[in-house]
C-alpha cells in the first residue's frame, strides 16, 4: 500500500522577490545615508578648518554643491543695509560664463526673496515663483532651486543658492536638511574666520601705534609722525588716500599737513572750514564722520576737485573730546569698494586716539627738555651776572685807578682804551643775559592766520567760501613786510571778485619754497574786460615791482580770471 505524500509548503515566488528587493533598497538607502552623513561631516570639518574668510566662503560653496549634487552653487553676502548683496561667491559657472553674464546679482528677484524671508526655499521650477524676474542675457538655464540662509550670531550673514540638481531631479527634503545643517556649520566657520581676521587687524593697529610712539619718543619731528599716521591708516584700511589735518593757530579752520596716495597733491596745504568738510565736521564733533561716496557728498566743497575716482570715506578725530582733539585723519577708498564698517571705523578711531596719546607724551617730554634748557640758561645767566660781570667791573675799576699813576701818555691812553673795551664787553654780556632770560611770549599773528581771517571776512560779501591752500613754511620764511603786502593784495583781489566777477567759486593759493613767495587768486566769473578799470591791478603790480617781483593776470582754467603775485624772499631771512 502506497503512503500518500505530505503537501509541501510553497511561498509565492513573486512575494519573496519583492521582499528581497525592498531589503536591498533599504540597505542601499542606509548605505547612502551613511555615505551622505560621512560626506556632511567631512564638509563640516573642511569648512571649519578655514581661517581666511574668503577661502572659508569658497569652501562652503564647494561643499554645498557636492553635498546636494548641484551643478551651480553660490553664496551671496548681504551688505550693511540688509537688503542687497555686496559679494557673490560661485561654483559651476566658468570665467567665460561670468564675463558673459556681466555684473553679479545685487539681491533682486528670487535671490531677494531669501533676503526678505530668511528661511529655506525649495522650487522645482524657478520661473514659476512670483518673485522670479527671469535671467539676464547669456545666463545658463536653471530650473530646480534650493536656497538656505546662513546665520552668524543670530544675524543673517548671507544665503546659499543651489540650482540644477544633476540628473534632472528636484531637490528633496533630505537635500534641504543636509544643506541647513551645513549652513549652521558655515555660520560657525564664518564667525571664527571673522574673529581671526579681526585679531590680525587689531595686531596690525597695535604694531602701527607702537611704531608711531617709538618715532615720537625718539625725537622725530611732528611732520614725520603725522606722515607715519597717514601711511599706516591708508595701508591697514586698504584705502587709496589718507590725509591728516591739524587745527590752525588763531583761525577756526584746519590745515591739511599730510596727504598720501591718490589725489594727494590736491589735498596737501588745503585750509578746510570746520563746518564744510568731513574733516572739519569730525573735528568739531570729536566723533567719526563717514560718507558712502565722498566725491558727490554735499558736505564736501566741490572746489578744488580732490576726490576723483574715490568713493567711501571716513574722517576720525585724533584724540577724544575728553582729552582734546589734536587733528583729524581721513581715509578714502576707490569708488566701488565697500563702505567702512562700524568695526573698521572703531579700530581706526582707537588708532587715532592712541596716536594722540603718543603725541601728548612726546610734547610733555619736549616741554620737560625745554624747562631743563631754560633752567640751565637761567643758571648761566646768573653766573655771568654774579661772577663774570662783577670781576670785569672790578678789573675795569682797578685799571682806571691805576691810570692816574701812569706818566707815559701812550701807556695811559692804552689803559683807558682797555677800560672802554671792558665796558663794551660788560654790555655784550648783559645783552646775552637778557637773551638767555627772555621767554617766547605769545605767538604773534602769523601770515597763515591772517590769510584765513581775510578769506573768512570776505565770504559774506562774496556769497560763498573760497577754497584756500597754503604750502611751505609761510610763517617762517615770509618776513612781516612782505606778509603785509600779501594780505593787502589778497584783500584787493577778493574785493575785485566780489564787485566785478559775478563768480560762485574762487581759490586762494599761497606757496613758498624759501626763495620766493607766490599768491594766486582765481575765480570762475566773467573775467577781466579789456576796457575795465585797472587801478587795483596797477596797485598790485606796483607792490610786486617795489619788492623785485611781478604780477601776472590771465584767464583761469574754468573761465574767469587768475591773478598771480610773485616776489623773491630775502636770502638771509629765516636763517639768521
Amino acid at each position: 500500500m502506497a503512503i500518500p505524500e505530505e503537501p509541501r509548503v510553497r511561498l509565492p515566488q513573486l512575494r519573496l522577490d519583492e521582499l528581497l528587493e525592498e531589503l536591498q533598497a533599504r540597505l542601499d538607502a542606509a548605505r547612502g545615508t551613511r555615505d551622505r552623513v560621512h560626506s556632511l561631516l567631512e564638509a563640516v570639518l573642511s569648512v571649519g578648518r578655514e581661517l581666511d574668510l574668503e577661502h572659508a566662503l569658497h569652501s562652503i560653496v564647494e561643499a554645498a554643491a557636492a553635498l546636494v549634487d548641484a551643478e551651480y552653487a553660490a553664496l551671496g553676502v548681504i551688505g550693511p543695509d540688509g537688503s542687497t548683496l555686496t559679494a557673490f561667491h560661485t561654483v559651476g559657472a566658468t570665467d567665460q560664463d561670468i564675463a558673459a553674464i556681466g555684473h553679479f546679482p545685487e539681491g533682486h528677484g528670487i535671490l531677494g526673496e531669501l533676503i526678505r524671508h530668511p528661511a529655506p526655499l525649495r522650487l522645482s521650477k524657478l520661473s514659476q515663483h512670483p518673485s522670479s524676474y527671469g535671467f539676464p542675457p547669456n545666463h545658463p538655464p536653471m530650473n530646480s532651486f534650493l536656497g538656505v540662509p546662513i546665520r552668524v550670531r543670530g544675524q543673517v550673514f548671507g544665503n546659499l543658492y543651489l540650482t540644477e540638481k544633476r540628473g534632472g531631479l528636484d531637490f528633496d527634503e533630505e537635500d534641504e536638511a543636509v544643506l541647513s545643517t551645513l549652513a549652521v556649520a558655515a555660520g560657525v566657520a564664518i564667525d571664527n574666520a571673522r574673529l581671526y581676521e579681526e585679531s590680525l587687524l587689531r595686531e596690525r593697529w597695535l604694531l602701527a601705534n607702537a611704531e608711531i610712539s617709538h618715532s615720537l619718543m625718539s625725537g622725530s619731528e611732528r611732520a614725520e609722525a603725522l606722515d607715519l599716521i597717514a601711511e599706516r591708516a591708508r595701508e591697514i584700511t586698504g584705502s587709496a588716500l589718507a590725509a591728516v589735518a591739524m587745527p590752525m593757530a588763531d583761525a577756526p579752520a584746519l590745515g591739511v599737513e599730510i596727504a598720501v596716495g591718490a589725489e594727494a597733491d590736491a589735498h596737501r596745504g588745503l585750509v578746510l572750514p570746520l563746518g564744510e568738510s568731513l574733516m572739519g565736521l569730525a573735528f568739531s564733533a570729536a566723533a567719526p564722520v563717514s560718507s558712502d561716496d565722498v566725491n558727490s557728498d554735499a558736505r564736501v566743497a566741490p572746489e578744488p576737485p580732490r576726490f576723483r575716482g574715490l568713493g567711501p570715506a571716513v574722517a576720525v578725530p585724533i584724540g577724544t573730546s575728553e582729552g582734546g582733539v589734536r587733528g583729524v585723519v581721513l581715509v578714502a577708498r576707490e569708488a566701488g569698494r565697500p563702505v567702512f564698517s562700524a568695526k573698521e571705523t572703531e579700530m581706526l578711531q582707537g588708532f587715532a586716539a592712541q596716536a594722540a596719546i603718543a603725541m601728548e607724551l612726546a610734547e610733555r617730554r619736549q616741554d620737560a627738555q625745554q624747562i631743563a634748557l631754560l633752567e640751565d640758561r637761567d643758571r648761566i645767566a646768573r653766573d655771568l651776572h654774579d661772577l663774570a660781570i662783577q670781576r670785569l667791573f672790578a678789573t675795569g675799576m682797578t685799571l682806571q685807578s691805576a691810570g692816574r699813576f701812569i706818566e707815559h701818555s701812550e701807556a695811559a691812553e692804552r689803559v683807558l682804551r682797555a677800560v672802554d673795551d671792558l665796558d663794551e664787553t660788560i654790555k655784550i654780556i648783559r645783552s646775552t643775559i637778557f637773551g638767555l632770560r627772555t621767554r617766547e611770549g605769545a605767538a604773534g599773528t602769523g601770515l597763515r592766520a591772517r590769510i584765513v581771517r581775510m578769506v573768512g571776512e570776505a565770504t559774506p560779501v562774496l556769497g560763498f567760501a573760497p577754497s584756500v591752500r597754503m604750502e611751505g613754511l609761510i610763517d617762517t620764511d615770509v618776513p612781516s613786510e612782505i606778509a603785509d603786502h600779501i594780505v593787502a593784495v589778497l584783500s584787493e583781489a577778493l574785493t575785485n571778485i566780489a564787485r566785478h566777477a559775478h563768480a560762485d567759486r574762487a581759490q586762494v593759493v599761497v606757496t613758498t619754497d624759501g626763495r620766493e613767495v607766490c599768491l594766486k587768486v582765481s575765480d570762475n566769473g566773467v573775467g577781466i574786460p579789456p576796457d575795465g578799470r585797472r587801478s587795483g591791478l596797477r596797485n598790485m603790480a606796483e607792490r610786486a615791482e617795489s619788492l623785485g617781483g611781478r604780477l601776472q593776470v590771465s584767464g583761469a582754467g574754468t573761465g574767469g580770471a587768475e591773478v598771480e603775485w610773485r616776489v623773491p624772499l630775502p636770502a638771509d631771512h629765516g636763517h639768521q
Side-chain angles (χ1 to χ4, degrees):
M1 180 176 179
I3 301 173
E5 294 183 5
E6 294 182 5
R8 299 175 66 181
V9 178
R10 294 194 175 191
L11 292 175
Q13 187 65 35
L14 182 61
R15 178 62 178 162
L16 181 60
D17 289 344
E18 288 178 355
L19 289 173
L20 288 173
E21 286 179 5
E22 184 178 348
L23 178 61
Q24 185 63 44
R26 291 190 179 186
L27 287 173
D28 291 341
R31 189 179 298 112
T33 302
R34 182 201 65 189
D35 292 342
R36 197 161 199 187
V37 170
H38 182 69
S39 299
L40 177 60
L41 290 174
E42 283 188 344
V44 169
L45 290 174
S46 174
V47 167
R49 281 194 292 265
E50 292 289 352
L51 286 177
D52 180 83
L53 183 58
E54 292 299 310
H55 289 166
L57 296 178
H58 192 73
S59 177
I60 291 166
V61 179
E62 288 182 331
L67 283 172
V68 298
D69 203 20
E71 186 174 352
Y72 301 105
L75 192 158
V77 180
I78 301 175
D81 60 0
S83 61
T84 58
L85 300 176
T86 58
F88 213 68
H89 302 265
T90 63
V91 166
T94 65
D95 292 339
Q96 291 80 2
D97 292 336
I98 295 171
I101 294 170
H103 292 293
F104 280 124
E106 297 179 354
H108 306 297
I110 199 70
L111 303 187
E113 182 70 18
L114 256 79
I115 297 175
R116 294 185 292 272
H117 305 99
L121 177 64
R122 211 161 19 99
L123 302 171
S124 59
K125 197 166 185 62
L126 268 169
S127 58
Q128 294 178 353
H129 194 278
S131 297
S132 179
Y133 288 175
F135 296 110
N138 304 314
H139 196 287
M142 295 179 181
N143 291 301
S144 56
F145 175 85
L146 175 58
V148 175
I150 297 175
R151 287 181 169 83
V152 178
R153 299 195 180 192
Q155 299 293 322
V156 178
F157 173 85
N159 295 304
L160 277 171
Y161 306 107
L162 287 301
T163 60
E164 289 299 280
K165 187 175 177 69
R166 297 183 190 279
L169 303 175
D170 290 341
F171 295 105
D172 55 24
E173 291 182 4
E174 189 175 339
D175 292 327
E176 182 180 321
V178 168
L179 204 61
S180 297
T181 304
L182 178 67
V184 174
V188 175
I190 291 169
D191 192 31
N192 289 339
R194 288 166 70 176
L195 290 172
Y196 179 69
E197 284 193 353
E198 185 179 317
S199 67
L200 291 180
L201 193 58
R202 289 189 185 279
E203 183 181 0
R204 291 186 69 186
W205 283 123
L206 288 172
L207 290 174
N209 274 127
E211 187 180 4
I212 291 165
S213 298
H214 180 268
S215 173
L216 284 166
M217 299 308 290
S218 61
S220 297
E221 295 294 330
R222 187 184 74 161
E224 295 180 22
L226 295 181
D227 187 68
L228 195 57
I229 290 172
E231 284 285 3
R232 295 298 172 266
R234 184 174 71 93
E235 291 172 5
I236 297 175
T237 60
S239 299
L241 166 74
V244 177
M246 305 299 283
M248 299 185 65
D250 304 325
L254 298 174
V256 180
E257 297 191 13
I258 301 293
V260 293
E263 298 288 325
D265 291 339
H267 286 265
R268 223 174 273 122
L270 272 179
V271 177
L272 304 173
L274 296 185
E276 298 180 21
S277 63
L278 294 185
M279 300 180 92
L281 292 169
F283 182 86
S284 300
V289 176
S290 61
S291 172
D292 291 349
D293 185 6
V294 70
N295 200 34
S296 59
D297 198 310
R299 296 170 295 178
V300 178
E303 291 294 330
R306 56 193 186 278
F307 290 109
R308 286 169 294 201
L310 301 178
V314 63
V316 302
I318 300 175
T320 61
S321 56
E322 295 81 8
V325 178
R326 292 177 164 272
V328 178
V329 57
L330 174 139
V331 288
R333 289 172 175 157
E334 294 174 345
R337 293 285 310 282
V339 298
F340 290 89
S341 65
K343 182 64 68 177
E344 287 178 308
T345 303
E346 176 193 335
M347 289 187 180
L348 178 59
Q349 189 176 10
F351 165 72
Q354 290 297 319
I357 293 173
M359 293 169 69
E360 176 78 17
L361 291 174
E363 288 180 6
R364 292 291 177 266
R365 181 183 179 189
Q366 290 176 355
D367 288 344
Q369 291 174 342
Q370 185 70 14
I371 290 172
L373 176 62
L374 293 174
E375 289 176 347
D376 201 34
R377 286 184 175 183
D378 280 342
R379 180 186 59 77
I380 294 171
R382 189 168 55 251
D383 290 346
L384 285 173
H385 182 272
D386 295 344
L387 300 176
I389 287 183
Q390 298 303 324
R391 295 194 67 172
L392 288 172
F393 186 74
T395 303
M397 291 290 291
T398 301
L399 288 174
Q400 196 171 20
S401 299
R404 292 197 296 267
F405 300 102
I406 299 175
E407 296 181 356
H408 195 283
S409 59
E410 187 174 346
E413 185 179 349
R414 288 187 178 183
V415 169
L416 290 175
R417 280 206 305 269
V419 171
D420 291 339
D421 288 342
L422 286 173
D423 286 340
E424 287 300 320
T425 302
I426 291 171
K427 290 178 183 178
I428 292 171
I429 293 176
R430 281 177 172 163
S431 176
T432 301
I433 292 171
F434 179 78
L436 288 170
R437 286 181 168 171
T438 299
R439 304 290 193 274
E440 293 185 4
T445 303
L447 178 56
R448 284 177 179 269
R450 294 174 69 185
I451 290 171
V452 173
R453 207 162 33 243
M454 175 64 66
V455 172
E457 292 171 357
T459 296
V461 181
L462 291 166
F464 60 89
S467 66
V468 182
R469 184 203 311 279
M470 289 182 273
E471 295 183 20
L473 302 176
I474 293 173
D475 287 337
T476 304
D477 288 345
V478 182
S480 58
E481 58 272 18
I482 295 180
D484 292 340
H485 284 288
I486 290 174
V487 173
V489 171
L490 175 60
S491 175
E492 183 69 32
L494 293 175
T495 300
N496 287 343
I497 293 173
R499 289 178 178 174
H500 311 297
H502 304 293
D504 58 10
R505 293 181 186 174
Q507 185 174 25
V508 177
V509 180
V510 183
T511 59
T512 180
D513 57 3
R515 294 186 295 273
E516 67 175 6
V517 61
C518 176
L519 166 66
K520 290 182 182 179
V521 183
S522 58
D523 66 75
N524 67 341
V526 298
I528 301 175
D531 56 348
R533 293 182 59 190
R534 293 179 174 260
S535 56
L537 295 176
R538 187 165 55 251
N539 290 338
M540 296 182 196
E542 289 174 355
R543 287 179 180 273
E545 291 166 3
S546 69
L547 298 169
R550 66 185 186 279
L551 174 73
Q552 183 175 344
V553 181
S554 60
T558 56
E562 179 179 84
V563 174
E564 180 179 310
W565 192 87
R566 188 183 297 270
V567 299
L569 297 174
D572 59 344
H573 184 79
H575 305 285
Q576 297 176 352

